[in-house]
Structures are given as structure tokens and as C-alpha cells.
Amino acid sequence: MTADAQTSAPTPTTPSITIIICTVENSGREERLRTVLDHLREQLHVTVEIILVWQGWDVANAPSFPGVRVLPLTIWSSSLARNKGAELASHPFLCFLDDDTYPVGDTALHDAIALLERDKLDFLACNIRSEGAVQAADPIAADIDFSPKTIIGNMWEPGVTIRTDAFRATGFDPTLGIGCIHGSSEGLDFGLRLLAAGYRGRRVAGLLVDHPPLPANDTIKLDRSFFYALGNGAVLVQHKLYSTYAWQLTKSIGRFFVSLLKGDATRTRAAAIRSFCLVLGPIVPRGTPLIVPRRK
């Protein structure tokens, strides 16, 4: 082989990805956010662009971090914020993280992109690593290829890695998610619309994001039951997943009576709220928040 031939031989290119993180002013997660950014800076074999969508009352209060592009917004809507952040992305892949989650392992982002390319997939969801009695999601031991049936209970926003063109053709529904009346199920809705558009996805057992322990506070549990059930019911009915909707409602009603017989007041209230909101969710009109609500 000649010297010219050696010089012209192709070399592998470094994959590149844009990370979209949403945070809210005075969220109490500022220290955890710094930890998340530190972990992202440690990622190997990949070029990382970080876009932080900061939602607050006064854009002058928006923070700054080395190597991070900050987009200030005077709204509070996780889905709309993610969409706005993705509009600024300059790389062919996106990864969505919350301000308290980060990929586990210093090659996690590189490995996710490699899997998308190797298996000709369009998007990936992950396992969640967390401690504590209350888990953010049930783990899986083996990969799950997504279909309208298997995606239920296996798709959420933190850790989703997706081709940028697939995201821009679909996007999150801004009437769903944290900050909206229907405060959940934006991940499931997003995944179902991706599948309907012909995109291919998978939940990967070996792809992890770290999530801090969830609080076991009873008031927080009841709040989550309220907002999450509204979103669950609305999305399941919207996508005509009537059998799943009926099963979720049946389980919730059954849990109510079992908890009532056991004398467990907290679980009884949570099950009652969930049952009521599963019915209410498809009826309540959806809308996009306009401003950040002020803390008392």
C-alpha cells in the first residue's frame, strides 16, 4: 500500500449528541443538577452538546454553567420546554434528561448511539437505577422491542435517546407532562405516536440512568396519583387502548376495596384518587401552561 493510499483511508468519526435538560427556578435540585452536568462532561468517545432549558419568573435570574447553552423560558411545561430545547440542537441524536438524572457509565451515550446505528432503530428507552422503597419504574432484565402493547409501562422521558429528525417530525405533546393539568404520560404518548409514524424503538436493559430516591411522603404520593392518573387516562383513551384503560381502572378500583378492608387509609385515598382521575382524565380539556406558578 502506498503512502498516498494510507493517507486517504477513511477514519471513524466521533458520534455527536445533544442533551436536553429541563429545570425550574428554585427547584431545590441545583446541587444535583451540577452532578448531572459533571457526569455528562465525563462521557467518552462522543461529542456532547448540552442545552439547559431553564424555566423561571425572570430570565435575568437564569444560571450559567461552563460549556452549557442555557435557554430561559417564563413557562412551566416539561414537554414544551423539551420541544423548545430540541429546536436548538445541532447534532443528529438527542437525549432527554431531567435535572436529577444522568446516564450511568462513561460510555453510555456512545453505546446508545452505536446501538441505534447497528440495529437501525430510531429511539431507545432505558432502565432506571434508583434506591429507596419508592421506585421511579420497574426494571427489566432483557431488552423489549416496542409495539403499541409492549411500550405501555416501558417508555418515559428521562434517558430517551432518539434521532433528531425523528424527534422533530413528532415532538412531545405540550398539553401533557409536568406543569400541565394532565401531568404525566407524555412519554407514552410520544412513543405511541413515534410507532404510528413508522419509527422503531426499544427499551434496553443495559442502558441506565441514575435517579435519586423518590420521597415516601404521603402527600406527595397523593399528588402523584392525581396528576399521573389524569394523564394516564387521557392518553390511553386518545390512542384507543380501551382494554388497557379498562384494566388500569379495574385494578385501581380493586386496590381501593382491598386497602379499605385492610384499613390502610393512605392507600385507600390514593386508589380512590387514581380511580376518579382515570375517569376524569379523558374528559378534562387539555391546555398549555403560560407562566411559571409562584411558590408560596
Side-chain angles (χ1 to χ4, degrees):
M1 182 178 292
T2 66
D4 288 343
Q6 291 177 339
T7 302
S8 61
T11 57
T13 58
T14 302
S16 57
I17 189 168
T18 298
I19 310 297
I20 309 294
I21 303 173
C22 301
T23 193
V24 178
E25 183 178 8
N26 297 331
S27 66
R29 297 177 175 178
E30 290 78 12
E31 191 60 38
R32 175 71 178 189
L33 174 59
R34 293 186 183 91
T35 300
V36 170
L37 295 176
D38 287 342
H39 279 276
L40 292 175
R41 295 186 186 101
E42 295 169 358
Q43 290 292 303
L44 302 176
H45 314 309
V46 64
T47 298
V48 177
E49 173 187 46
I50 304 173
I51 297 176
L52 177 69
V53 186
W54 180 89
Q55 301 160 91
W57 301 290
D58 185 350
V59 296
N61 294 332
S64 63
F65 301 93
V68 177
R69 184 174 183 180
V70 178
L71 172 63
L73 295 178
T74 54
I75 58 169
W76 187 38
S77 169
S78 56
S79 292
L80 186 59
R82 292 181 181 116
N83 289 346
K84 291 292 186 181
E87 290 176 5
L88 304 180
S90 57
H91 293 314
F93 297 94
L94 297 172
C95 179
F96 294 92
L97 295 170
D98 287 347
D99 58 2
D100 59 355
T101 59
Y102 60 81
V104 176
D106 56 13
T107 63
L109 296 177
H110 172 274
D111 296 344
I113 294 172
L115 181 56
L116 287 168
E117 295 283 54
R118 188 194 73 191
D119 291 356
K120 300 186 182 341
L121 297 167
D122 299 295
F123 65 104
L124 300 174
C126 62
N127 261 339
I128 294 179
R129 184 181 74 178
S130 183
E131 298 178 355
V134 182
Q135 291 294 302
D138 293 329
I140 56 170
D143 295 355
I144 297 175
D145 286 325
F146 283 146
S147 71
K149 290 185 177 181
T150 62
I151 201 169
I152 297 171
N154 286 301
M155 178 77 178
W156 41 80
E157 316 74 58
V160 165
T161 306
I162 185 170
R163 296 180 188 272
T164 301
D165 56 357
F167 179 82
R168 287 178 173 163
T170 312
F172 288 104
D173 183 338
T175 68
L176 294 168
I178 296 172
C180 300
I181 293 175
H182 296 77
S184 74
S185 296
E186 68 271 36
L188 173 59
D189 169 75
F190 179 46
L192 287 168
R193 287 187 291 107
L194 283 167
L195 293 176
Y199 295 110
R200 298 177 60 231
R202 178 181 299 164
R203 184 180 176 193
V204 182
L207 185 64
L208 304 174
V209 295
D210 186 87
H211 192 294
L214 291 174
N217 182 284
D218 288 345
T219 301
I220 293 176
K221 287 181 181 179
L222 295 176
D223 286 347
R224 287 170 60 87
S225 294
F226 180 87
F227 289 106
Y228 277 51
L230 287 175
N232 294 162
V235 169
L236 290 173
V237 170
Q238 172 190 340
H239 291 279
K240 300 180 180 180
L241 297 170
Y242 301 126
S243 61
T244 303
Y245 173 73
W247 174 237
Q248 291 295 323
L249 183 57
T250 301
K251 283 199 306 180
S252 185
I253 294 173
R255 189 176 297 118
F256 168 79
F257 284 108
V258 170
S259 300
L260 186 63
L261 291 172
K262 290 182 176 180
D264 189 330
T266 299
R267 288 180 179 269
T268 300
R269 286 195 297 269
I273 290 171
R274 178 165 175 78
S275 301
F276 175 72
C277 290
L278 280 171
V279 175
L280 190 63
I283 303 170
V284 174
R286 279 146 61 165
T288 302
L290 299 178
I291 60 173
V292 176
R294 287 196 173 275
R295 288 176 176 266
K296 295 181 180 179

